[in-house]
């Protein structure tokens, strides 16, 4: 089935600024609360949120096999479960409805009042009910930097890293949408030179510049997903800030890996951008050496040219862009991550989320965490107002953005913006 939405010459009758992340070629999916306090599934073009539940009830999806309530829910899980054929039919139909040459809705003022909302009239929600969350560790540059800091610089990567997409299971209950503040976590740390731990707020709270992908129902228990079919089970992507407390993590991560240092909060952008929308921005992945085992071998362009940026904004201050990276630097692809995740028969469900791991590029200004940008605090990062940061301070706001751009078309994710509040004292 052709992807009609990707035509770079397509225009919408909704006005879209040239710098917008959401032209008619995007058509992402999200969940929002309307001005009438009704929760609905929707999409976005320009600065307008579009109520897909209302569009469906008004008959604009006639001919597409959809249940009556598919868009009248508080999550995208059921829609995602319908599979790629349905996603494409719906996106193609939306692109037809809002095409500049289609007057059916364009000239129906009554219907437009029901369907369209400006973005300041809606409140974005978590787009999916996330049953399971896995975080990978798939940036070679990031893994090398961390290994250099904490182990032997000459053997920065552990022996398994070039053979498997390393990952761990995270906590889905604390994944939150953009705009939801996060409190500095409490936990145990081992001060330098001490023999026993102390308890209190983390002193080294960090962001992690990541993306994440959302899956559909993919396999039966015991079945593996072949690497060359894995992308068929990926609905789309979000920008992802996987918050980290470095001092808590240093004390707790041996022998079983991250725990309290990672499960206190993870922030995602609220619009899920489909792989179909990202198709024109495919690019080659880094060369993998040594060659992966057969179940991880793939051909073709399996990565995407997604520009990523991070801003830090002090309270009442101006933002400073502290990092500019790109998803294309990822050593292990999403298809390889999903294939490896299921090669042992692990079942994957609709709405599961897989984090990329911190995305760092080859240069210091493209590192994806404060741990790297400040190199363990030895090189403080200067902000626009003259202040410096080794890690994130209370009342700082961290904003991540992602977008692709070519042939005059920009496809973006919007932003995920989160304020770090002081720790809550224990009672």
């Amino acid at each position: 089935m052709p992807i009609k939405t990707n035509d770079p010459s397509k225009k919408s009758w909704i006005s879209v600024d040239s710098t917008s992340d959401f032209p008619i070629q995007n058509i992402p999916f999200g969940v929002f609360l309307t001005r009438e306090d009704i929760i609905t599934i929707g999409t976005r073009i320009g600065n307008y949120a579009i109520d897909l539940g209302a569009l469906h009830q008004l008959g604009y999806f006639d001919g597409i096999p959809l249940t009556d309530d598919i868009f009248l829910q508080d999550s995208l899980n059921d829609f995602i479960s319908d599979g790629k054929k349905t996603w494409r039919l719906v996106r193609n139909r939306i692109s037809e409805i809002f095409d500049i040459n289609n007057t059916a809705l364009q000239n129906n003022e009554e219907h437009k009042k029901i369907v369209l909302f400006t973005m300041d009239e809606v409140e974005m929600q978590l787009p999916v009910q996330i049953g399971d969350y896995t975080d990978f560790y798939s940036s070679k540059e990031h893994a090398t930097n961390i290994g250099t800091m904490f182990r032997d610089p000459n053997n920065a990567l552990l022996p398994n890293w070039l053979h498997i997409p390393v990952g761990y299971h995270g906590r889905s209950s604390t994944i939150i949408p953009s705009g939801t503040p996060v409190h500095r976590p409490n936990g145990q740390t081992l001060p330098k030179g001490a023999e026993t731990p102390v308890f209190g707020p983390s002193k080294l709270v960090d962001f992690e510049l990541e993306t994440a992908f959302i899956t559909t129902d993919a396999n039966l228990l015991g079945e593996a997903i072949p690497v060359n079919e894995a992308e068929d089970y990926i609905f789309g992507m979000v920008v992802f800030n996987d918050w980290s407390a470095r001092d808590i993590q240093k004390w707790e991560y041996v022998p079983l890996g991250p725990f309290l240092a990672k499960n206190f909060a993870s922030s995602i952008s609220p619009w899920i951008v489909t792989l179909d929308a990202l198709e024109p921005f495919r690019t080659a992945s880094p060369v993998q050496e040594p060659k992966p085992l057969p179940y991880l071998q793939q051909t073709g362009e399996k990565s995407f040219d997604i520009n990523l940026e991070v801003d830090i904004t002090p309270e009442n201050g101006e933002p400073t862009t502290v990092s500019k990276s790109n998803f294309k630097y990822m050593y292990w692809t999403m298809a390889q991550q999903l294939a490896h995740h299921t090669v042992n028969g692990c079942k994957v469900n609709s709405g599961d989320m897989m984090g990329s791991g911190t995305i760092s590029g080859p240069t210091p200004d493209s590192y994806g965490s404060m741990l790297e940008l400040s190199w363990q605090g030895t090189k403080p990062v200067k902000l626009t107002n003259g202040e410096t940061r080794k890690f994130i301070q209370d009342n700082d706001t961290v904003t991540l953005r992602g977008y692709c751009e070519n042939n005059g078309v920009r496809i973006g994710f919007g932003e995920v913006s989160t304020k770090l509040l002081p720790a809550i004292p224990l009672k």
Side-chain angles (χ1 to χ4, degrees):
M1 182 190 308
I3 309 172
K4 299 178 182 178
T5 55
N6 289 350
D7 180 356
S9 66
K10 182 179 282 289
K11 302 292 183 184
S12 173
W13 49 265
I14 292 179
S15 177
V16 180
D17 188 88
S18 61
T19 61
S20 172
D21 284 348
F22 303 100
I24 194 171
Q25 288 85 359
N26 192 339
I27 308 181
F29 292 93
V31 174
F32 58 82
L33 201 62
T34 71
R35 54 184 171 242
E36 290 86 15
D37 285 335
I38 296 172
I39 197 163
T40 187
I41 288 170
T43 188
R44 177 175 176 176
I45 297 177
N47 197 39
Y48 285 88
I50 299 161
D51 185 341
L52 296 182
L55 268 183
H56 189 18
Q57 289 178 313
L58 292 169
Y60 286 91
F61 292 117
D62 285 355
I64 299 177
L66 299 169
T67 60
D68 292 341
D69 67 343
I70 192 70
F71 298 125
L72 302 177
Q73 303 185 37
D74 60 3
S75 81
L76 282 158
N77 293 57
D78 283 356
F79 175 65
I80 294 172
S81 290
D82 274 2
K84 181 179 281 190
K85 182 179 179 181
T86 298
W87 313 335
R88 283 189 177 172
L89 285 169
V90 168
R91 288 185 73 251
N92 284 345
R93 179 66 58 84
I94 293 169
S95 73
E96 293 170 5
I97 295 168
F98 291 93
D99 187 281
I100 195 168
N101 297 311
N102 189 334
T103 59
L105 178 60
Q106 183 178 176
N107 292 345
N108 192 322
E109 295 301 323
E110 182 181 348
H111 283 188
K112 283 197 292 187
K113 289 177 182 177
I114 298 171
V115 168
L116 296 178
F117 300 82
T118 58
M119 287 305 301
D120 58 7
E121 293 180 299
V122 303
E123 182 180 328
M124 298 305 300
Q125 309 291 303
L126 199 67
V128 288
Q129 183 177 344
I130 301 167
D132 278 306
Y133 155 52
T134 299
D135 193 35
F136 286 93
Y137 187 57
S138 292
S139 162
K140 187 176 182 181
E141 289 82 0
H142 174 68
T144 300
N145 287 340
I146 301 305
T148 298
M149 287 182 200
F150 295 109
R151 290 191 300 274
D152 177 7
N154 295 319
N155 296 284
L157 295 178
L158 291 172
N160 64 354
W161 199 92
L162 293 171
H163 297 276
I164 61 173
V166 174
Y168 74 96
H169 293 287
R171 178 76 179 175
S172 60
S173 65
T174 46
I175 297 174
I176 54 176
S178 177
T180 306
V182 168
H183 284 276
R184 181 178 296 271
N186 289 300
Q188 288 190 26
T189 60
L190 186 68
K192 188 174 183 179
E195 295 183 0
T196 57
V198 298
F199 179 85
S202 166
K203 294 181 174 65
L204 307 180
V205 174
D206 200 355
F207 68 81
E208 290 189 355
L209 172 58
E210 301 192 25
T211 62
F213 65 87
I214 312 296
T215 65
T216 185
D217 299 298
N219 60 335
L220 298 174
L221 183 65
E223 289 184 349
I225 300 173
V227 68
N228 59 353
E229 297 177 15
E231 286 188 359
D232 292 337
Y233 300 101
I234 297 174
F235 175 64
M237 297 175 66
V238 294
V239 177
F240 184 52
N241 181 357
D242 193 23
W243 290 91
S244 181
R246 301 295 184 186
D247 45 356
I248 295 175
Q249 184 171 345
K250 185 178 180 181
W251 170 236
E252 73 178 1
Y253 84 103
V254 177
L256 292 181
F259 186 33
L260 302 188
K262 300 294 296 179
N263 69 5
F264 65 96
S266 300
S267 307
I268 69 170
S269 54
W271 295 105
I272 302 175
V273 177
T274 63
L275 287 199
D276 278 354
L278 297 171
E279 189 67 30
F281 307 96
R282 281 191 180 272
T283 190
S285 305
V287 175
Q288 295 183 328
E289 183 62 41
K291 193 173 184 178
L293 291 172
Y295 78 96
L296 290 171
Q297 292 175 15
Q298 56 187 0
T299 58
E301 296 182 332
K302 297 297 183 180
S303 190
F304 298 90
D305 186 4
I306 305 172
N307 300 293
L308 299 166
E309 300 176 350
V310 183
D311 286 359
I312 297 176
T313 307
E315 189 165 34
N316 302 318
E318 295 297 317
T320 301
T321 301
V322 297
S323 176
K324 290 187 176 183
S325 192
N326 196 295
F327 181 77
K328 67 184 179 182
Y329 298 135
M330 296 296 293
Y331 187 86
W332 295 104
T333 69
M334 293 185 289
Q336 289 174 317
Q337 290 171 339
L338 188 54
H340 181 68
H341 201 313
T342 62
V343 74
N344 65 344
C346 175
K347 190 177 185 324
V348 172
N349 296 315
S350 172
D352 285 354
M353 195 179 85
M354 314 285 177
S356 62
T358 304
I359 302 171
S360 292
T363 58
D365 61 348
S366 63
Y367 293 164
S369 68
M370 289 301 291
L371 180 64
E372 297 164 273
L373 289 166
S374 73
W375 206 257
Q376 286 186 279
T378 62
K379 300 177 181 179
V381 176
K382 190 172 183 178
L383 304 185
T384 302
N385 64 1
E387 296 179 12
T388 60
R389 291 290 185 274
K390 296 179 181 179
F391 290 90
I392 305 304
Q393 294 186 7
D394 288 347
N395 300 310
D396 284 349
T397 297
V398 178
T399 303
L400 279 57
R401 293 181 296 273
Y403 66 94
C404 311
E405 200 163 23
N406 67 26
N407 295 324
V409 176
R410 175 185 172 116
I411 299 290
F413 296 79
E415 64 181 35
V416 50
S417 188
T418 315
K419 186 173 185 177
L420 180 66
L421 301 178
I424 298 175
L426 290 191
K427 296 180 180 179

